[in-house]
Amino acid sequence: MRVALGAVLSTFALLSLEAAIVMPAHAKQPLRIESRFADANGTRLHYLVAGRGEPVILLHGYTQTSHMWRPLIAELAKTRTVIAPDLRGAGRSAKPPQGYDKKTLAQDVHALASSLGFRHVTLVGHDIGLMVAYAYAAQHPTEVARIALMDAFLPGVGDWQSVWLLRDLWHFHFYGEVPLRLVAGRERIYFEHFWNDFAADRTRSVPERDRRIYAAAYAQPGGMRSGFEYFRAFQQDAVDFQRFSQTKLPMPMLVLTGEKASGEFLIQQGRLVADQVDGVVVQGAGHWLMEEAPDQVIPKLVAFIDG
């Protein structure tokens, strides 16, 4: 009975996002963020969409879903079409057994953009999402107007294994049958490690309501296994990214990092892979930039995307 009830509550938590309405600052009417599905690159993807205008694609990271972008969507949708997919394996997207290297995840997103008729996009990625954004831009450089990378690292680029976020190597090797059994029904406990320990101040990290939403999302069948696969694929990502980095990206790049997280490291990596890089260390923030420092981060992203 507990399992059935848990499944119902998890489904309710996710479905409650479908009709969500956000009120942007100074808006006369509330903004409706639509929830849709599409078949892309052989995978069923769920995505949020709002606004009209030139397309911006927002890519979430581990322990989160497209839900993390709602405050930014509310601002960008005033002048842009904003698409925020759940990556393969996350949220309400399909959770196939393979395809979690970032090159393939980028191909998913590119196929989604193409299916919507978008041939020239701006990309924003946080955490795992920044790796997907980079892989998208490296594979399709003439189709990306601008790219923003937010706090994590690029496997295979420079001295990537010394980045601060890799100090706890155990969770990057935590996958397989035994880890899955250990976290089953305890997804929230496992995620607290990331939400608390990667924040500058755990009391100003991911909010309680969002923690419940994300824990329910990853508790779906296949959710935790898929999340672990993002990490298992790092070895292949390093090979792919080292090859990608031999040709620098031509479009403008913004790199936002947390002072208490990746600091200057991701900015240095950005300059190894792109010609036009503006790097900003967000003072006082840890890894969860959208949650820890929205008043600094959202205006910077909006200004960069507007050019």
Side-chain angles (χ1 to χ4, degrees), residues 54-113:
E54 294 298 312
V56 180
I57 299 177
L58 310 178
L59 302 171
H60 69 84
Y62 185 56
T63 79
Q64 296 184 302
T65 68
S66 57
H67 173 77
M68 69 163 285
W69 296 115
R70 286 177 175 272
L72 181 59
I73 293 173
E75 295 302 316
L76 292 178
K78 297 172 184 177
T79 57
R80 304 270 176 164
T81 298
V82 189
I83 304 99
D86 289 336
L87 297 176
R88 173 193 296 236
R92 301 185 66 194
S93 289
K95 298 167 179 61
Q98 298 176 334
Y100 295 92
D101 63 280
K102 310 315 171 288
K103 180 173 66 176
T104 299
L105 292 174
Q107 291 166 355
D108 291 350
V109 179
H110 182 263
L112 173 62

Short mmCIF file of all heavy atoms in Angstrom, two decimals, residues 54-113:
data_model
loop_
_atom_site.label_atom_id
_atom_site.label_comp_id
_atom_site.label_asym_id
_atom_site.label_seq_id
_atom_site.Cartn_x
_atom_site.Cartn_y
_atom_site.Cartn_z
N GLU A 54 12.88 34.56 -31.03
CA GLU A 54 14.04 33.72 -31.28
C GLU A 54 14.18 32.67 -30.17
O GLU A 54 13.95 32.96 -28.99
CB GLU A 54 15.31 34.58 -31.35
CG GLU A 54 15.35 35.53 -32.53
CD GLU A 54 15.32 34.78 -33.85
OE1 GLU A 54 16.11 33.81 -34.00
OE2 GLU A 54 14.52 35.15 -34.73
N PRO A 55 14.56 31.44 -30.53
CA PRO A 55 14.54 30.34 -29.55
C PRO A 55 15.75 30.31 -28.60
O PRO A 55 16.88 30.54 -29.01
CB PRO A 55 14.54 29.09 -30.43
CG PRO A 55 15.22 29.52 -31.69
CD PRO A 55 14.85 30.96 -31.90
N VAL A 56 15.45 30.02 -27.35
CA VAL A 56 16.46 29.77 -26.32
C VAL A 56 16.16 28.40 -25.72
O VAL A 56 15.01 28.12 -25.36
CB VAL A 56 16.42 30.83 -25.21
CG1 VAL A 56 17.49 30.53 -24.16
CG2 VAL A 56 16.61 32.22 -25.78
N ILE A 57 17.17 27.55 -25.62
CA ILE A 57 17.01 26.22 -25.04
C ILE A 57 17.75 26.16 -23.72
O ILE A 57 18.95 26.47 -23.65
CB ILE A 57 17.53 25.13 -26.00
CG1 ILE A 57 16.74 25.16 -27.31
CG2 ILE A 57 17.45 23.75 -25.35
CD1 ILE A 57 17.24 24.18 -28.36
N LEU A 58 17.05 25.77 -22.66
CA LEU A 58 17.60 25.70 -21.31
C LEU A 58 17.76 24.23 -20.91
O LEU A 58 16.79 23.46 -20.97
CB LEU A 58 16.65 26.42 -20.33
CG LEU A 58 16.21 27.83 -20.72
CD1 LEU A 58 15.25 28.39 -19.68
CD2 LEU A 58 17.41 28.76 -20.89
N LEU A 59 18.94 23.86 -20.46
CA LEU A 59 19.26 22.46 -20.18
C LEU A 59 19.66 22.29 -18.71
O LEU A 59 20.64 22.87 -18.25
CB LEU A 59 20.40 22.00 -21.09
CG LEU A 59 20.09 22.14 -22.59
CD1 LEU A 59 21.33 21.86 -23.42
CD2 LEU A 59 18.95 21.22 -22.99
N HIS A 60 18.88 21.50 -17.99
CA HIS A 60 19.06 21.31 -16.55
C HIS A 60 20.20 20.35 -16.23
O HIS A 60 20.75 19.69 -17.11
CB HIS A 60 17.76 20.77 -15.94
CG HIS A 60 17.45 19.36 -16.38
ND1 HIS A 60 17.98 18.26 -15.77
CD2 HIS A 60 16.65 18.89 -17.39
CE1 HIS A 60 17.53 17.16 -16.36
NE2 HIS A 60 16.73 17.51 -17.35
N GLY A 61 20.52 20.24 -14.95
CA GLY A 61 21.57 19.34 -14.50
C GLY A 61 21.04 18.20 -13.64
O GLY A 61 19.83 17.98 -13.53
N TYR A 62 21.98 17.48 -13.03
CA TYR A 62 21.64 16.31 -12.21
C TYR A 62 20.93 16.73 -10.93
O TYR A 62 21.21 17.79 -10.37
CB TYR A 62 22.91 15.53 -11.87
CG TYR A 62 22.64 14.24 -11.14
CD1 TYR A 62 21.80 13.28 -11.68
CD2 TYR A 62 23.21 14.00 -9.90
CE1 TYR A 62 21.54 12.10 -11.01
CE2 TYR A 62 22.96 12.82 -9.22
CZ TYR A 62 22.12 11.87 -9.78
OH TYR A 62 21.86 10.71 -9.10
N THR A 63 20.05 15.87 -10.48
CA THR A 63 19.13 16.02 -9.34
C THR A 63 18.01 17.00 -9.64
O THR A 63 17.15 17.22 -8.79
CB THR A 63 19.81 16.47 -8.02
OG1 THR A 63 20.06 17.88 -8.03
CG2 THR A 63 21.08 15.70 -7.75
N GLN A 64 17.99 17.59 -10.84
CA GLN A 64 16.94 18.54 -11.19
C GLN A 64 16.29 18.15 -12.51
O GLN A 64 16.67 17.16 -13.15
CB GLN A 64 17.51 19.96 -11.26
CG GLN A 64 18.04 20.45 -9.91
CD GLN A 64 18.50 21.90 -9.95
OE1 GLN A 64 19.38 22.26 -10.72
NE2 GLN A 64 17.91 22.73 -9.11
N THR A 65 15.29 18.92 -12.91
CA THR A 65 14.59 18.72 -14.18
C THR A 65 14.37 20.10 -14.81
O THR A 65 14.85 21.11 -14.30
CB THR A 65 13.23 18.03 -13.97
OG1 THR A 65 12.35 18.93 -13.27
CG2 THR A 65 13.37 16.74 -13.16
N SER A 66 13.60 20.14 -15.88
CA SER A 66 13.27 21.41 -16.53
C SER A 66 12.59 22.39 -15.57
O SER A 66 12.62 23.61 -15.80
CB SER A 66 12.36 21.16 -17.73
OG SER A 66 11.18 20.47 -17.35
N HIS A 67 12.03 21.90 -14.49
CA HIS A 67 11.36 22.74 -13.51
C HIS A 67 12.28 23.84 -12.97
O HIS A 67 11.81 24.93 -12.62
CB HIS A 67 10.84 21.87 -12.37
CG HIS A 67 10.27 22.64 -11.22
ND1 HIS A 67 9.02 23.21 -11.25
CD2 HIS A 67 10.78 22.94 -9.99
CE1 HIS A 67 8.78 23.83 -10.11
NE2 HIS A 67 9.83 23.68 -9.33
N MET A 68 13.58 23.57 -12.89
CA MET A 68 14.52 24.53 -12.30
C MET A 68 14.53 25.86 -13.04
O MET A 68 14.89 26.90 -12.48
CB MET A 68 15.94 23.96 -12.28
CG MET A 68 16.59 23.82 -13.65
SD MET A 68 18.39 23.62 -13.60
CE MET A 68 18.95 25.27 -13.22
N TRP A 69 14.12 25.86 -14.32
CA TRP A 69 14.25 27.06 -15.16
C TRP A 69 13.04 27.98 -15.10
O TRP A 69 13.04 29.02 -15.77
CB TRP A 69 14.49 26.64 -16.59
CG TRP A 69 15.77 25.93 -16.84
CD1 TRP A 69 15.92 24.63 -17.26
CD2 TRP A 69 17.11 26.45 -16.71
NE1 TRP A 69 17.25 24.32 -17.39
CE2 TRP A 69 18.00 25.41 -17.05
CE3 TRP A 69 17.62 27.69 -16.32
CZ2 TRP A 69 19.38 25.59 -17.03
CZ3 TRP A 69 18.99 27.86 -16.29
CH2 TRP A 69 19.85 26.83 -16.65
N ARG A 70 12.00 27.65 -14.37
CA ARG A 70 10.77 28.44 -14.43
C ARG A 70 10.98 29.93 -14.14
O ARG A 70 10.41 30.77 -14.83
CB ARG A 70 9.70 27.83 -13.51
CG ARG A 70 9.12 26.55 -14.10
CD ARG A 70 8.11 25.87 -13.19
NE ARG A 70 7.53 24.72 -13.89
CZ ARG A 70 6.46 24.78 -14.67
NH1 ARG A 70 5.84 25.92 -14.85
NH2 ARG A 70 6.00 23.69 -15.27
N PRO A 71 11.78 30.32 -13.16
CA PRO A 71 11.98 31.77 -12.95
C PRO A 71 12.64 32.46 -14.15
O PRO A 71 12.31 33.59 -14.48
CB PRO A 71 12.88 31.83 -11.70
CG PRO A 71 12.62 30.54 -11.00
CD PRO A 71 12.41 29.53 -12.08
N LEU A 72 13.58 31.78 -14.80
CA LEU A 72 14.24 32.35 -15.97
C LEU A 72 13.30 32.35 -17.18
O LEU A 72 13.29 33.30 -17.96
CB LEU A 72 15.51 31.57 -16.30
CG LEU A 72 16.33 32.07 -17.49
CD1 LEU A 72 16.78 33.53 -17.28
CD2 LEU A 72 17.54 31.17 -17.73
N ILE A 73 12.50 31.30 -17.33
CA ILE A 73 11.53 31.25 -18.43
C ILE A 73 10.62 32.46 -18.37
O ILE A 73 10.30 33.08 -19.38
CB ILE A 73 10.71 29.95 -18.38
CG1 ILE A 73 11.59 28.73 -18.67
CG2 ILE A 73 9.55 29.99 -19.37
CD1 ILE A 73 10.91 27.39 -18.49
N ALA A 74 10.18 32.81 -17.16
CA ALA A 74 9.26 33.94 -16.99
C ALA A 74 9.84 35.23 -17.52
O ALA A 74 9.10 36.09 -18.04
CB ALA A 74 8.89 34.09 -15.51
N GLU A 75 11.15 35.40 -17.42
CA GLU A 75 11.79 36.62 -17.92
C GLU A 75 12.07 36.54 -19.41
O GLU A 75 11.78 37.47 -20.17
CB GLU A 75 13.08 36.88 -17.14
CG GLU A 75 12.88 37.18 -15.67
CD GLU A 75 11.98 38.39 -15.44
OE1 GLU A 75 12.16 39.41 -16.15
OE2 GLU A 75 11.10 38.31 -14.58
N LEU A 76 12.63 35.43 -19.85
CA LEU A 76 13.02 35.30 -21.25
C LEU A 76 11.83 35.25 -22.20
O LEU A 76 11.91 35.72 -23.33
CB LEU A 76 13.87 34.04 -21.45
CG LEU A 76 15.25 34.04 -20.81
CD1 LEU A 76 15.94 32.70 -21.06
CD2 LEU A 76 16.12 35.17 -21.36
N ALA A 77 10.72 34.68 -21.72
CA ALA A 77 9.56 34.51 -22.59
C ALA A 77 8.89 35.82 -22.97
O ALA A 77 8.01 35.84 -23.84
CB ALA A 77 8.55 33.58 -21.92
N LYS A 78 9.30 36.91 -22.36
CA LYS A 78 8.77 38.23 -22.75
C LYS A 78 9.16 38.56 -24.18
O LYS A 78 8.43 39.26 -24.89
CB LYS A 78 9.30 39.31 -21.81
CG LYS A 78 8.87 39.16 -20.37
CD LYS A 78 9.60 40.17 -19.49
CE LYS A 78 9.28 39.99 -18.02
NZ LYS A 78 10.05 40.93 -17.16
N THR A 79 10.32 38.06 -24.62
CA THR A 79 10.82 38.41 -25.95
C THR A 79 11.31 37.21 -26.75
O THR A 79 11.72 37.36 -27.90
CB THR A 79 11.99 39.40 -25.85
OG1 THR A 79 13.03 38.83 -25.04
CG2 THR A 79 11.53 40.71 -25.22
N ARG A 80 11.28 36.02 -26.17
CA ARG A 80 11.85 34.83 -26.81
C ARG A 80 10.90 33.64 -26.71
O ARG A 80 10.05 33.59 -25.84
CB ARG A 80 13.16 34.44 -26.11
CG ARG A 80 14.20 35.54 -26.05
CD ARG A 80 15.09 35.52 -27.24
NE ARG A 80 16.04 36.63 -27.25
CZ ARG A 80 17.13 36.67 -28.02
NH1 ARG A 80 17.39 35.66 -28.82
NH2 ARG A 80 17.93 37.72 -28.00
N THR A 81 11.12 32.68 -27.60
CA THR A 81 10.54 31.36 -27.41
C THR A 81 11.51 30.56 -26.55
O THR A 81 12.68 30.42 -26.91
CB THR A 81 10.33 30.63 -28.75
OG1 THR A 81 9.42 31.37 -29.55
CG2 THR A 81 9.76 29.23 -28.51
N VAL A 82 11.04 30.06 -25.43
CA VAL A 82 11.92 29.36 -24.49
C VAL A 82 11.50 27.89 -24.43
O VAL A 82 10.33 27.57 -24.22
CB VAL A 82 11.85 29.98 -23.09
CG1 VAL A 82 12.92 29.37 -22.19
CG2 VAL A 82 12.01 31.49 -23.16
N ILE A 83 12.48 27.01 -24.63
CA ILE A 83 12.24 25.56 -24.58
C ILE A 83 13.14 24.99 -23.50
O ILE A 83 14.35 25.22 -23.50
CB ILE A 83 12.56 24.88 -25.93
CG1 ILE A 83 11.76 25.51 -27.06
CG2 ILE A 83 12.30 23.39 -25.85
CD1 ILE A 83 12.55 26.51 -27.86
N ALA A 84 12.55 24.26 -22.56
CA ALA A 84 13.32 23.64 -21.48
C ALA A 84 12.96 22.16 -21.41
O ALA A 84 11.94 21.78 -20.83
CB ALA A 84 13.02 24.32 -20.14
N PRO A 85 13.75 21.30 -22.04
CA PRO A 85 13.44 19.87 -22.03
C PRO A 85 13.92 19.17 -20.76
O PRO A 85 14.87 19.62 -20.10
CB PRO A 85 14.21 19.34 -23.24
CG PRO A 85 15.38 20.27 -23.37
CD PRO A 85 14.90 21.62 -22.89
N ASP A 86 13.25 18.09 -20.42
CA ASP A 86 13.81 17.12 -19.49
C ASP A 86 14.77 16.27 -20.31
O ASP A 86 14.36 15.68 -21.33
CB ASP A 86 12.73 16.22 -18.89
CG ASP A 86 11.84 16.95 -17.90
OD1 ASP A 86 12.27 17.96 -17.34
OD2 ASP A 86 10.69 16.48 -17.70
N LEU A 87 16.02 16.19 -19.92
CA LEU A 87 16.98 15.37 -20.65
C LEU A 87 16.54 13.91 -20.66
O LEU A 87 15.79 13.46 -19.78
CB LEU A 87 18.37 15.49 -20.02
CG LEU A 87 19.02 16.87 -20.03
CD1 LEU A 87 20.35 16.82 -19.28
CD2 LEU A 87 19.23 17.37 -21.46
N ARG A 88 17.00 13.18 -21.64
CA ARG A 88 16.80 11.73 -21.65
C ARG A 88 17.13 11.18 -20.26
O ARG A 88 18.18 11.45 -19.69
CB ARG A 88 17.75 11.12 -22.68
CG ARG A 88 17.78 9.61 -22.71
CD ARG A 88 18.95 9.10 -23.53
NE ARG A 88 18.86 9.46 -24.95
CZ ARG A 88 18.88 8.60 -25.96
NH1 ARG A 88 19.00 7.30 -25.71
NH2 ARG A 88 18.82 9.02 -27.20
N GLY A 89 16.21 10.42 -19.70
CA GLY A 89 16.43 9.81 -18.39
C GLY A 89 15.95 10.61 -17.21
O GLY A 89 15.96 10.13 -16.08
N ALA A 90 15.51 11.86 -17.43
CA ALA A 90 15.12 12.73 -16.32
C ALA A 90 13.66 13.16 -16.46
O ALA A 90 13.10 13.18 -17.56
CB ALA A 90 16.01 13.96 -16.26
N GLY A 91 13.07 13.53 -15.34
CA GLY A 91 11.72 14.08 -15.34
C GLY A 91 10.73 13.16 -16.00
O GLY A 91 10.64 11.97 -15.69
N ARG A 92 9.99 13.69 -16.97
CA ARG A 92 8.96 12.92 -17.66
C ARG A 92 9.41 12.43 -19.03
O ARG A 92 8.61 11.92 -19.81
CB ARG A 92 7.69 13.77 -17.77
CG ARG A 92 7.14 14.21 -16.41
CD ARG A 92 5.83 14.92 -16.53
NE ARG A 92 4.79 14.03 -17.01
CZ ARG A 92 3.61 14.43 -17.47
NH1 ARG A 92 3.33 15.72 -17.53
NH2 ARG A 92 2.71 13.55 -17.88
N SER A 93 10.70 12.60 -19.32
CA SER A 93 11.24 12.06 -20.56
C SER A 93 11.49 10.56 -20.42
O SER A 93 11.53 10.02 -19.31
CB SER A 93 12.54 12.77 -20.95
OG SER A 93 12.28 14.10 -21.37
N ALA A 94 11.65 9.89 -21.58
CA ALA A 94 11.90 8.45 -21.59
C ALA A 94 13.22 8.12 -20.90
O ALA A 94 14.12 8.97 -20.82
CB ALA A 94 11.90 7.94 -23.02
N LYS A 95 13.32 6.89 -20.43
CA LYS A 95 14.49 6.45 -19.68
C LYS A 95 15.04 5.17 -20.29
O LYS A 95 14.98 4.10 -19.67
CB LYS A 95 14.12 6.28 -18.21
CG LYS A 95 13.65 7.59 -17.58
CD LYS A 95 12.98 7.40 -16.24
CE LYS A 95 12.57 8.75 -15.67
NZ LYS A 95 11.60 9.48 -16.54
N PRO A 96 15.57 5.26 -21.51
CA PRO A 96 16.12 4.07 -22.17
C PRO A 96 17.39 3.58 -21.48
O PRO A 96 17.99 4.32 -20.69
CB PRO A 96 16.41 4.56 -23.59
CG PRO A 96 16.66 6.02 -23.43
CD PRO A 96 15.73 6.47 -22.33
N PRO A 97 17.82 2.36 -21.78
CA PRO A 97 19.00 1.82 -21.09
C PRO A 97 20.31 2.45 -21.50
O PRO A 97 21.29 2.36 -20.77
CB PRO A 97 18.96 0.33 -21.46
CG PRO A 97 18.17 0.26 -22.73
CD PRO A 97 17.16 1.36 -22.62
N GLN A 98 20.37 3.09 -22.67
CA GLN A 98 21.62 3.62 -23.18
C GLN A 98 21.45 5.06 -23.67
O GLN A 98 20.36 5.60 -23.68
CB GLN A 98 22.14 2.74 -24.32
CG GLN A 98 22.44 1.30 -23.90
CD GLN A 98 22.86 0.45 -25.09
OE1 GLN A 98 22.50 0.73 -26.23
NE2 GLN A 98 23.65 -0.59 -24.81
N GLY A 99 22.58 5.65 -24.07
CA GLY A 99 22.54 6.97 -24.69
C GLY A 99 22.75 8.13 -23.75
O GLY A 99 22.26 9.23 -24.01
N TYR A 100 23.53 7.95 -22.67
CA TYR A 100 23.70 9.01 -21.67
C TYR A 100 25.02 9.75 -21.79
O TYR A 100 25.32 10.61 -20.95
CB TYR A 100 23.50 8.43 -20.27
CG TYR A 100 22.07 7.96 -20.09
CD1 TYR A 100 21.71 6.66 -20.37
CD2 TYR A 100 21.08 8.86 -19.73
CE1 TYR A 100 20.38 6.24 -20.25
CE2 TYR A 100 19.76 8.47 -19.61
CZ TYR A 100 19.41 7.16 -19.87
OH TYR A 100 18.09 6.76 -19.77
N ASP A 101 25.82 9.43 -22.81
CA ASP A 101 26.96 10.29 -23.10
C ASP A 101 26.41 11.62 -23.59
O ASP A 101 25.32 11.70 -24.16
CB ASP A 101 27.86 9.64 -24.15
CG ASP A 101 27.14 9.45 -25.49
OD1 ASP A 101 26.38 8.48 -25.62
OD2 ASP A 101 27.31 10.30 -26.38
N LYS A 102 27.15 12.69 -23.36
CA LYS A 102 26.61 14.03 -23.60
C LYS A 102 26.48 14.35 -25.09
O LYS A 102 25.64 15.18 -25.47
CB LYS A 102 27.47 15.08 -22.89
CG LYS A 102 27.74 14.74 -21.40
CD LYS A 102 26.49 14.26 -20.66
CE LYS A 102 26.80 13.72 -19.28
NZ LYS A 102 27.48 12.43 -19.26
N LYS A 103 27.26 13.67 -25.92
CA LYS A 103 27.12 13.84 -27.36
C LYS A 103 25.74 13.35 -27.82
O LYS A 103 25.08 14.02 -28.61
CB LYS A 103 28.23 13.07 -28.09
CG LYS A 103 28.18 13.18 -29.61
CD LYS A 103 29.40 12.53 -30.24
CE LYS A 103 29.39 11.02 -30.00
NZ LYS A 103 30.53 10.36 -30.69
N THR A 104 25.31 12.22 -27.29
CA THR A 104 24.00 11.68 -27.65
C THR A 104 22.88 12.52 -27.05
O THR A 104 21.86 12.79 -27.71
CB THR A 104 23.87 10.22 -27.19
OG1 THR A 104 24.89 9.43 -27.84
CG2 THR A 104 22.51 9.65 -27.53
N LEU A 105 23.03 12.96 -25.81
CA LEU A 105 22.02 13.82 -25.20
C LEU A 105 21.87 15.10 -26.01
O LEU A 105 20.75 15.61 -26.19
CB LEU A 105 22.40 14.16 -23.75
CG LEU A 105 22.37 13.00 -22.75
CD1 LEU A 105 22.92 13.46 -21.41
CD2 LEU A 105 20.97 12.44 -22.59
N ALA A 106 22.98 15.63 -26.53
CA ALA A 106 22.91 16.83 -27.37
C ALA A 106 22.19 16.54 -28.67
O ALA A 106 21.46 17.40 -29.19
CB ALA A 106 24.32 17.34 -27.64
N GLN A 107 22.38 15.35 -29.21
CA GLN A 107 21.68 14.98 -30.44
C GLN A 107 20.18 14.89 -30.19
O GLN A 107 19.37 15.25 -31.07
CB GLN A 107 22.23 13.66 -30.97
CG GLN A 107 23.65 13.78 -31.50
CD GLN A 107 24.34 12.45 -31.73
OE1 GLN A 107 23.79 11.39 -31.42
NE2 GLN A 107 25.56 12.48 -32.26
N ASP A 108 19.78 14.45 -29.00
CA ASP A 108 18.36 14.46 -28.63
C ASP A 108 17.81 15.89 -28.71
O ASP A 108 16.74 16.13 -29.30
CB ASP A 108 18.17 13.96 -27.19
CG ASP A 108 18.44 12.49 -27.00
OD1 ASP A 108 18.61 11.77 -28.00
OD2 ASP A 108 18.51 12.07 -25.83
N VAL A 109 18.52 16.81 -28.08
CA VAL A 109 18.05 18.20 -28.00
C VAL A 109 18.05 18.84 -29.38
O VAL A 109 17.13 19.59 -29.73
CB VAL A 109 18.92 19.00 -27.01
CG1 VAL A 109 18.46 20.45 -26.95
CG2 VAL A 109 18.86 18.37 -25.62
N HIS A 110 19.07 18.55 -30.17
CA HIS A 110 19.11 19.10 -31.53
C HIS A 110 17.94 18.59 -32.35
O HIS A 110 17.32 19.35 -33.12
CB HIS A 110 20.44 18.73 -32.20
CG HIS A 110 20.59 19.29 -33.57
ND1 HIS A 110 20.30 18.55 -34.71
CD2 HIS A 110 20.98 20.51 -34.01
CE1 HIS A 110 20.52 19.29 -35.78
NE2 HIS A 110 20.93 20.48 -35.39
N ALA A 111 17.62 17.31 -32.21
CA ALA A 111 16.48 16.74 -32.93
C ALA A 111 15.17 17.39 -32.47
O ALA A 111 14.28 17.64 -33.29
CB ALA A 111 16.42 15.23 -32.73
N LEU A 112 15.07 17.68 -31.18
CA LEU A 112 13.89 18.38 -30.67
C LEU A 112 13.79 19.76 -31.29
O LEU A 112 12.72 20.17 -31.77
CB LEU A 112 13.96 18.50 -29.15
CG LEU A 112 12.87 19.36 -28.48
CD1 LEU A 112 11.49 18.78 -28.73
CD2 LEU A 112 13.15 19.49 -26.98
N ALA A 113 14.89 20.51 -31.30
CA ALA A 113 14.89 21.85 -31.90
C ALA A 113 14.49 21.79 -33.37
O ALA A 113 13.69 22.61 -33.85
CB ALA A 113 16.26 22.49 -31.73
#
